Structure formats: structure tokens, C-alpha cells
Amino acid sequence: MSGRPQRELLCQGNEAVVEGSLAAGVRFFGGYPITPSTEIAEILSVELPKVGGTFIQMEDEIAGIGSCLGASLSGAKSMTATSGPGFSLMQELIGFGCIAEIPMVIVNVMRYGPSTGLPTSPSQGDVMQARWGTHGDHPIIVLTAASVLEAFHMTVKAFNFSEKYRIPVILLLDEVVGHMREKVLLPADEEVQVVNRVKPEIPPDWYKPYEVTNTGVPPMASFGEGYRYHVTGLVHDEMGFPTQVKSEVTASTDRLFDKITRGFADICITDSYQTDDAELIVVAYGSVARSAREAVDQLREKGHKAGLFQITTLWPFPRTSLENTAKVARMMVVVEMNRGQIYREVWRVSRGRWTVHKVSGTDGEMIAPQMIVDAVKEYGQWR
Amino acid sequence: MALTNRDILHKYLRHNKRFPHIWCPGCGIGIVLGACLRAIYDTGWSKDEVVFSSGIGCTGRAPVYVDFNTLHTAHGRALTFATGIKAANPKLKVVTMMGDGDAVGIGGNHFIHACRRNIDITAVIVNNMIYGMTGGQQSPTTPRGALASTARTGVVEQPFDIAELAVASGASFVARTTSYHVHQMEKLIYRALAHPGFSVVEIITAAPTCFGRRNKYSDAVEMVKEQKAMAIDVKKAEGMGFDERRSRIVTGVLMERDAPEWTRTYAEEVRGESPAGDSGNSPGETTPEETK
Ligand SMILES: Cc1ncc(C[n+]2csc(CCOP(=O)(O)OP(=O)(O)O)c2C)c(N)n1
Ligand code: SF4
């Protein structure tokens, strides 16, 4: 897509996802409508054909993600968007994308509760599902966003990471970010850094589609380009052929993890606010991070040494950044719209170095700054 | 000059894949795969433009042996991947080989919607009337009363008629044959490949290990002989009542019609491209590449 200029828009998070996907070069969307993500499908059904891309409404979310994986094998950057019930249906094929190393982006605009829950209320209840929802040991990359502008940038990142590391990337938005309208200044297309999958340059006869390479990420040929290779969800050798040979099984599974571990510093995106001297660190992500920032300001006004650690890459969990940020901290308060999913991670990483508390929003409402300030007062453990 | 069967197999089987294949002696899946390869040869398509895909099951193992762009997806999901592949690159010739459980059990919803969409994909369905890979459980096409490991006193439900399901769902080419009728099988698959739209070839297939044994067939030969006896040409079956039709295997072309194909319609009506497109699976549009 050549040349959309820099532009100022008043738009929703869901619209920003569309803008970001187009900037990143999306050419295929297959999905099934569900609140609160539907706008993404609706707008792409209009925009994709304009850039020579393809939108298809599939019969369910399983078909949505299946069609995206197929389209990606054809060489098209692919995306689907959904919410909890649809995300649950997609789980098996997320694992397919991981083991067959097929780039694609899955947007989950989280709604409240299991099952149909509260379709139009915000939540962050799918954090652990995004990490562990598909069966078997596997790596995954999960990003989130706290604002409409971040929704744009993280969509671009999601595509870039998926292409660079050959893995499905999940973008978890909460309903607040998905539906909130903000004024944003979007960069011109040529200002956006776009990463494309590495293609093989060797003759087809030499091509090993799942070869161990320097980066851990093998070059990926599209179907139809002359590299006839095999793609399977079975554990496979370097040729993509099924194997049960122990050494090959271990090697292929290790490589899946290894490529993500090596990219850790690149993948883990976090932000620290007022943390240099902070004894109390509020940990938050998504729309909650906005409330948390405000709460930190209020606490600072009252003389408390508070800071914010904002997480944008939820998985792999940015453990090192958290540790580096928490030099003088004694206490962490993890604020999230669930009963404590990232709280458990922070607690795990703490290893007794800080006390860890949680503020849980579990009523389908946003978490207001005051709620955080009040909770922090209650814990009252800092000097 | 036309190649012999042996040459065709040599051309299309993977030389870097460790054989033997996984199928039991007497199983009809290999017969169907052989017919697919001969039919693909007849189209003149190059190996590079063919995508050969499947779901999970004994049938699902077919792609790994053949030298195309091959894809072994998840149980029931082959057509969802195939749809994405074709929609994103209509130049590719997409063939999907599925078992009956794959196609109309776990994948039934995808199957009827692929028919409805009429997207240019060929679905070759190996209907052995049983779940083979998992050891002989009942499938949605196991005949009423037949024995299965999860139906020890006989299946309680009535079976799906896959070909009729495809016709009713909108597939624009639908045919059926059996693993006895190898010659017809090859011809029907060829016509399905050449057809611009969603095409279905259902093949009633002998599965001696997982169906035959439990249902007291002495061997695969007895099973294919029964297929021969039960088969009736679709023209001869005209006018038969429902029950009589269901007691036979109606073979031949059940449906062949012109209908708007998804990728072309999308290109013209949604993208506004001019209807030039040679995007369909018309045979012979590319020159066959050299045998390797
Ligand atoms: C989601 C899921 N459920 C169940 C299975 C187990 N399974 C593998 S193959 C199969 C049935 C195979 O039967 P069919 O599709 O008719 O193919 P056949 O083996 O007879 O060729 C089942 C139930 C699976 N792999 N995935
Ligand atoms: S188990 Fe049944 S379907 Fe599978 S290869 Fe053997 S006979 Fe064929």
C-alpha cells in the first residue's frame, strides 16, 4: 500500500487496529463476527479489497483462524479478530500455527466472564488463556495496548513479530481500548517500520523448511513459489516430515522455544513511569494502565514514592525488565480486570524480594484511579 | 507422450520421503491417491502450482507422500486452510483429501459452507464408513446396524449421504464412485479438478482392518466385490424411492452446473477487477514441468 500520509483521526481502538494492520501490510482477514471486536471485520471488509487483499466471513472462528493460516501459507499477511467465545474455539489451531511456524495475528478484544459472559463489558480475563490455551508445551507472543494509539503501534508490532519469528501473535485488547475514541496522530505509511518474513534464496532442492538456522527462524517459502514442502501439525524433522526419532523431536521443540528466547530483548515491551526511586510499584496493562498512571500521580502528590510498571508484552513475561525496574521497591500492587492472572506472574518473579498485592476489577467495570489509591492505602506497608 | 502409471507415480511420489506408507494391506486409500495422481497428471498442472492438503486420519496422511505443496492440517479443518490458500492466491490448484469423519463429522460445518461458497477447490472424500486412524469407531457415515468399536451392538443412527449433502449445500460438481471402480474414479477426479467451482468426489472405500474385520468380511476383495454389486449408475437410480436409493451406492456425476465461483466473484464484484481472470482450475493452462 503506497503512501497514506501522516493523519490525525478521531477513532476507536478497533479502528486503530485496522489502520495498524494496513500499515503492516495485511492482505487477508478471515473471521466471524463477535462483540466487541466486530468493527475490525466490518472495516476490513471494505478496506482489504481496495488494496487487492481478501476479506472472507467464515462459518465460525475455527474456520476463521484456519483460513488465515492457509492464506499465510499462500504468502498473505493474515489476521483474524474475535472475543472470548471465539478465542476459545480457535485454541487448537493456535497450536498448529506454533508448531508449523505460520505467521498470523489474532486480535482478542476481551469481554467479561466465561461463556457468553457480559458481551459488552471490559475484562482482562483471557491473559492466561492466551498463554496456555492451546495444548502442549509451546511458546507464544502476546501483546496488549493501553490506548488507541498503542493499539495502532502494537498491531504493527504484532505483524512484525509474527513475520520475524514465524509464530502466531495474539493482540489482547480490553473492551475499553477497543471501543474508546481518542484523537490520534497516525504516522505516514513510509514512516512505519514493516518486517516481512525471510524467504529462501537457495535452490529448491536445497531447501529445508524447518532447518536450524543462525536466528533459529528458518526462511519461509510461500506455496506456489517452487519450493514444494510439507507442512504438518505432527512433530517434524527439518524437512517437515513427521518424526518420532527422539533427537529430532527434542531438536524441533527446542528450536520453537529457542527462537523466542533469543528474541526476548526485542519482544518484551514495557514502560516505567516514576520508578527510579519508587518503593511502591503499581503493575498494570491495557486500559487499566491509564488509571494506574493517574493513581501514581495522586499518590506522588500525597508524598508517596510510587511508580508504574506498564506491561505491553504480556508473554513472554518481561521478567528482566520488571526486576531491573524494581531496584528499590518493597511492594508491588498488580492491578487488572481479573482475579489475579498477572499478579501470579509478578509474585513468581518476586521470589520474596517484594510483597505483592492485587487490585482486582471483577464486576465488568473499569478500574478507576481512586480504587487503586484506596487499595494501596489499605495495604499501607511502605514507609 | 502419455506416461505409464509407473512413470506417473515416479513423477509425483516424493523421493526424499522415507517410505513405506502407513496404510494397511488392502486399504483403498492408496488406490484413491493413485487415481488422484493420474488425474492431476491429466490436467497438465505443474507440481509447483498444486496444493495437496488434508485433515487428520489415515486418509489425512496422503499429502506427505506426494511431491506438491503439501499440507496436513488438523482434524476436520482441511477445508478452512484450503479456503484461505485459494482465496489468497487463486492461481494455486487446491486439492483436499479427507476421510468421512474428517469431512462430515468434525468438519461437517466447514464442508457444507465450502459447498455453499462454491470456491474452486476439489474435495476427494475417502468414505470408508469408519474412523480408521483411531481404530474403528463409528463415523457419521457408518451404516445403521454396522458394528464399530463404539457401537458394539450396531450403529443406532442413520448415515449421512455425503454426495447428496454436497449437492444440497451448493457444490457445483458432485460425483461418487467406489474403490472397485478405479477407472471411473480417475475420470471423475479429473472432471472435478477441471471444474471451476467447489467439486466433490466421494469414494466408497474398502477399509479391511478397521471396518471389514469387525463386520465379518473375510478380506478386502470381498469388500470391493460388494461395492461392485451395490453400485448403480445415477441414471438407473432415477425414480427410485428414498429407501431403495439408500440401499445402493449411487455412482456417477450427481451434479454438474455452472455457478459463480467465489474467488472470481470476489475479484469482480468486491474488488472491481475486470473479468479477464484465468484464475480457475482450467486444465492445461500451464505447461507441465519436467519430470524430476
Ligand atoms: C480434534 C480431534 N479430535 C479427535 C481426534 C482423533 N482422531 C484422529 S483421526 C480420527 C478419525 C479418523 O476418521 P476419518 O476422518 O474417517 O479418516 P480415516 O482414518 O478413516 O481415513 C479421530 C477421531 C483428533 N486428531 N483431533
Ligand atoms: S486402519 Fe483402516 S483406514 Fe487406516 S489404513 Fe488400515 S484399513 Fe485403511
Side-chain angles (χ1 to χ4, degrees):
Chain A
M1 142 164 303
S2 67
R4 289 176 305 173
Q6 188 190 53
R7 57 217 182 275
E8 200 172 61
L9 295 176
L10 176 68
C11 75
Q12 283 189 333
N14 284 347
E15 292 173 75
V17 168
V18 171
E19 293 287 331
S21 67
L22 290 166
V26 69
R27 285 298 176 272
F28 183 88
F29 183 101
Y32 191 84
I34 183 167
T35 307
S37 75
T38 308
E39 295 85 2
I40 298 173
E42 287 175 337
I43 305 170
L44 277 173
S45 76
V46 178
E47 296 302 322
L48 270 173
K50 290 187 196 162
V51 296
T54 307
F55 169 91
I56 187 165
Q57 183 169 320
M58 296 300 287
E59 52 274 14
D60 58 29
E61 287 85 350
I62 304 174
I65 182 171
S67 66
C68 286
L69 292 167
S72 186
L73 287 169
S74 276
K77 290 190 180 179
S78 305
M79 177 167 87
T80 189
T82 189
S83 186
F87 192 55
S88 290
L89 287 181
M90 289 178 186
Q91 293 304 321
E92 186 193 6
L93 292 187
I94 291 176
F96 190 95
C98 290
I99 196 168
E101 301 181 71
I102 304 176
M104 72 165 289
V105 173
I106 301 148
V107 184
N108 173 5
V109 188
M110 291 178 283
R111 53 156 76 185
Y112 180 88
S115 187
T116 310
L118 290 174
T120 55
S121 296
S123 143
Q124 296 175 318
D126 305 350
V127 171
M128 281 295 171
Q129 185 190 22
R131 175 63 193 88
W132 299 111
T134 195
H135 58 279
D137 256 352
H138 63 280
I140 195 80
I141 298 176
V142 181
L143 307 178
T144 183
S147 67
V148 171
L149 188 61
E150 271 184 32
F152 173 89
H153 287 298
M154 288 312 126
T155 306
V156 174
K157 281 273 183 208
F159 274 97
N160 288 352
F161 288 159
S162 78
E163 294 283 316
K164 180 169 177 186
Y165 297 101
R166 288 190 60 180
I167 189 171
V169 175
I170 296 163
L171 178 62
L172 279 187
L173 299 181
D174 55 70
E175 188 272 343
V176 179
V177 172
H179 279 162
M180 168 170 65
R181 281 182 192 281
E182 291 186 281
K183 194 164 87 171
V184 289
L185 186 64
L186 298 183
D189 283 334
E190 63 252 32
E191 301 297 319
V192 177
Q193 198 210 338
V194 172
V195 178
N196 298 317
R197 63 191 71 171
V198 174
K199 300 249 181 168
E201 283 166 0
I202 51 175
D205 279 350
W206 301 358
Y207 183 54
K208 293 183 182 166
Y210 296 97
E211 189 172 19
V212 182
T213 59
N214 292 338
T215 57
V217 187
M220 181 175 176
S222 300
F223 280 176
E225 288 180 337
Y227 297 81
R228 299 185 299 274
Y229 66 102
H230 189 60
V231 179
T232 177
L234 287 166
V235 172
H236 42 265
D237 60 18
E238 288 192 320
M239 292 306 296
F241 297 146
T243 179
Q244 296 183 345
V245 177
K246 262 190 190 171
S247 57
E248 289 175 351
V249 171
T250 322
S252 74
T253 311
D254 284 353
R255 190 177 54 71
L256 289 186
F257 282 89
D258 191 45
K259 66 180 181 181
I260 302 302
T261 311
R262 287 201 219 176
F264 215 77
D266 173 41
I267 296 167
C268 289
I269 306 167
T270 61
D271 188 25
S272 301
Y273 173 65
Q274 304 266 39
T275 50
D276 284 350
D277 64 342
E279 296 179 356
L280 161 78
I281 291 182
V282 180
V283 179
Y285 53 94
S287 67
V288 178
R290 312 276 288 270
S291 298
R293 197 170 286 247
E294 170 66 24
V296 163
D297 286 343
Q298 290 184 16
L299 288 163
R300 285 263 165 189
E301 268 167 35
K302 296 195 174 94
H304 302 303
K305 288 186 173 169
L308 168 70
F309 182 71
Q310 181 184 337
I311 303 177
T312 299
T313 301
L314 288 166
W315 305 110
F317 188 73
R319 164 194 188 126
T320 322
S321 327
L322 180 62
E323 285 176 331
N324 291 344
T325 307
K327 290 267 152 55
V328 296
R330 293 154 182 278
M331 181 168 134
M332 301 240 173
V333 176
V334 186
V335 192
E336 48 190 339
M337 288 189 281
N338 59 47
R339 286 182 187 256
Q341 299 191 11
I342 285 297
Y343 161 76
R344 295 168 73 111
E345 277 305 294
V346 174
W347 182 81
R348 177 180 69 82
V349 172
S350 74
R351 287 186 289 133
R353 287 173 287 177
W354 334 294
T355 58
V356 184
H357 298 279
K358 63 180 169 183
V359 176
S360 296
T362 56
D363 55 2
E365 298 288 330
M366 275 192 69
I367 298 179
Q370 194 56 45
M371 198 174 150
I372 302 171
V373 173
D374 290 349
V376 164
K377 267 188 198 150
E378 215 169 280
Y379 295 131
Q381 289 189 12
W382 73 92
R383 288 170 299 172
Chain B
M1 197 186 72
L3 297 184
T4 63
N5 181 45
R6 196 188 159 84
D7 290 339
I8 291 174
L9 297 187
H10 187 79
K11 176 178 166 80
Y12 291 120
L13 290 182
R14 275 198 164 118
H15 296 264
N16 56 356
K17 168 77 187 105
R18 292 168 231 157
F19 278 85
H21 59 69
I22 67 158
W23 300 309
C24 305
C27 179
I29 296 174
I31 297 174
V32 177
L33 182 58
C36 283
L37 297 182
R38 289 188 294 275
I40 288 172
Y41 173 71
D42 287 342
T43 62
W45 296 340
S46 79
K47 293 199 269 190
D48 286 340
E49 62 187 338
V50 174
V51 176
F52 203 86
S53 56
S54 71
I56 298 290
C58 291
T59 307
R61 290 299 182 103
V64 74
Y65 304 116
V66 291
D67 190 16
F68 303 113
N69 304 282
T70 55
L71 173 63
H72 178 218
T73 68
H75 194 27
R77 314 303 170 202
L79 288 172
T80 71
F81 284 69
T83 299
I85 290 167
K86 184 73 186 180
N89 183 358
K91 288 201 181 78
L92 293 170
K93 319 295 187 188
V94 184
V95 184
T96 299
M97 201 166 148
M98 294 175 287
D100 42 286
D102 214 26
V104 298
I106 192 166
N109 196 33
H110 308 311
F111 179 68
I112 57 175
H113 284 275
C115 293
R116 173 180 67 86
R117 251 174 227 123
N118 196 37
I119 186 163
D120 190 8
I121 294 169
T122 296
V124 176
I125 300 176
V126 173
N127 182 1
N128 54 18
M129 301 178 288
I130 202 79
Y131 283 3
M133 180 61 112
T134 40
Q137 298 77 32
Q138 76 166 80
S139 105
T141 59
T142 312
R144 159 118 178 82
L147 302 180
S149 74
T150 47
R152 304 285 174 133
T153 53
V155 168
V156 172
E157 296 97 344
Q158 57 177 332
F160 266 138
D161 181 317
I162 296 180
E164 285 181 17
L165 181 64
V167 171
S169 306
S172 51
F173 181 92
V174 180
R176 176 164 43 210
T177 184
T178 82
S179 54
Y180 172 83
H181 300 85
V182 180
H183 208 59
Q184 183 184 39
M185 188 192 307
E186 190 183 314
K187 289 201 163 132
L188 291 175
I189 295 173
Y190 172 80
R191 282 173 69 180
L193 295 173
H195 178 82
F198 191 71
S199 51
V200 178
V201 183
E202 177 191 1
I203 296 146
I204 307 293
T205 306
T209 310
C210 53
F211 186 88
R213 249 192 234 166
R214 184 172 274 109
N215 285 286
K216 310 282 180 279
Y217 291 90
S218 55
D219 58 12
V221 177
E222 189 187 341
M223 296 181 84
V224 289
K225 278 186 176 160
E226 187 187 86
Q227 291 169 1
K228 182 187 177 194
M230 282 177 73
I232 178 167
D233 188 81
V234 62
K235 289 196 195 75
K236 291 203 188 113
E238 265 169 32
M240 277 186 177
F242 183 86
D243 288 335
E244 199 184 356
R245 263 179 96 93
R246 289 289 162 106
S247 70
R248 305 294 298 266
I249 302 171
V250 179
T251 59
V253 176
L254 277 71
M255 169 58 71
E256 185 171 25
R257 67 190 169 93
D258 287 337
E261 191 277 326
W262 194 91
T263 59
R264 287 184 187 215
T265 312
Y266 188 86
E268 287 166 26
E269 294 181 10
V270 183
R271 283 203 211 110
E273 289 168 13
S274 55
D278 218 354
S279 65
N281 271 2
S282 40
E285 127 198 336
T286 46
T287 44
E289 103 273 43
E290 288 320 300
T291 318
K292 275 234 222 83

